């Protein structure tokens, strides 16, 4: 449940901050007339993300077991790729997010209502689609037959909305660079579990070999139906009897990705401009 809460919080807060920055800029520049197109674009983006999530969930139920596992594994790998790109992108641009959005909004204001709707839609829609895909993959991986994974996502999204509102009201000051670095690192750990589970799905679909080749089996020590087994599965997508391929994929993704993500960023000094003789 915690991993799904983290996903909802992290992804939801990105979207909330984008909305707050857009709205606050229009209010401060006395362009309240542009708020309706912005809200329209946000509403369309949210509807698209919700529809995409519903299509993934209900569409997959009509497939055979093998097709469901193949789809689940493929989308899990795609979701991990998108989330990995997103956490690195946000780590790099968190400090400049506000100025970047302001620039886009200025250009949209000059172009008219349609451009405002498109700007809000693109700014929020990308986050919404990524969130829907990764939430679906994570819930699919951590599913234990209870609504706890979805409850965790819902609580995370509600927390993100609250934090975004407090941020907009000026009641909360967030160091975005540090926040996205810490949550991004935790999200990489969650993504490693989703990726390993995605490869397991492909093994169950007979797309990849090695389903019976277990790396280890500690089900007797950590029963999957125990409270601590459920807790480990909910936080880390832990599986007490993973295949050798799952463990290999988990290690090959987690170690280099986390090392690169947590490595200190280098800032290059500007090149001095020489006067022409």
């Amino acid at each position: 449940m915690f991993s799904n809460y983290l996903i909802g919080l992290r992804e939801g807060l990105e979207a909330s901050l984008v909305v707050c920055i857009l709205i606050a800029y229009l209010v401060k520049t006395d362009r309240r007339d542009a708020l309706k197109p912005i809200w329209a674009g946000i509403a369309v983006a949210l509807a698209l993300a919700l529809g995409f999530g519903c299509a993934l969930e209900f569409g997959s139920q009509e497939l055979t077991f093998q097709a469901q596992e193949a789809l689940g594994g493929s989308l899990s790998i795609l979701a991990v790729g998108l989330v990995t790109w997103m956490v690195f992108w946000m780590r790099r641009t968190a400090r400049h997010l506000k100025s970047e959005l302001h620039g886009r909004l200025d250009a949209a204001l000059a172009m008219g209502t349609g451009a405002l709707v498109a700007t809000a839609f693109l700014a929020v829609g990308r986050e919404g689609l990524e969130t829907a895909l990764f939430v679906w993959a994570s819930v699919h991986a951590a599913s234990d037959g209870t609504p706890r994974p979805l409850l965790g996502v819902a609580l995370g999204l509600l927390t993100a909305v609250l934090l975004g509102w407090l941020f907009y009201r000026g009641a909360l000051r967030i160091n975005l660079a540090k926040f996205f670095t810490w949550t991004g690192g935790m999200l990489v750990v969650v993504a490693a579990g989703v990726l390993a589970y995605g490869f397991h799905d492909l093994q169950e679909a007979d797309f990849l070999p090695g389903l019976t080749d277990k790396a280890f089996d500690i089900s007797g020590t950590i029963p999957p139906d125990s409270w601590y087994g459920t807790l480990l599965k909910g936080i880390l997508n832990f599986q007490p009897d993973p295949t050798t391929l799952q463990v290999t994929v988990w290690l090959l993704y987690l170690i280099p990705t986390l090392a690169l993500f947590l490595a200190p960023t280098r800032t290059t000094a500007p090149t001095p401009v020489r006067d022409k003789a």
Side-chain angles (χ1 to χ4, degrees), residues 216-234:
F216 53 83
D217 189 348
I218 55 174
S219 302
T221 306
I222 307 178
D225 56 350
S226 64
W227 69 267
Y228 45 92
T230 303
L231 181 65
L232 287 172
K233 183 176 178 62

Side-chain angles (χ1 to χ4, degrees), residues 13 15-32 35 38-39 98 102 160-174 176:
L13 188 57
S16 294
L17 291 177
V18 168
V19 172
C20 289
I21 290 170
L22 293 176
I23 299 302
Y25 184 67
L26 291 176
V27 171
K28 289 181 179 179
T29 55
D30 199 24
R31 289 301 308 269
R32 294 177 182 270
L35 288 176
I38 292 295
W39 283 117
K98 182 181 292 188
H102 286 178
V161 172
L162 175 61
L163 291 176
W165 181 79
L166 291 174
F167 179 80
Y168 173 77
R169 300 296 299 178
L172 184 66
R173 300 295 178 184
I174 301 176
L176 295 181

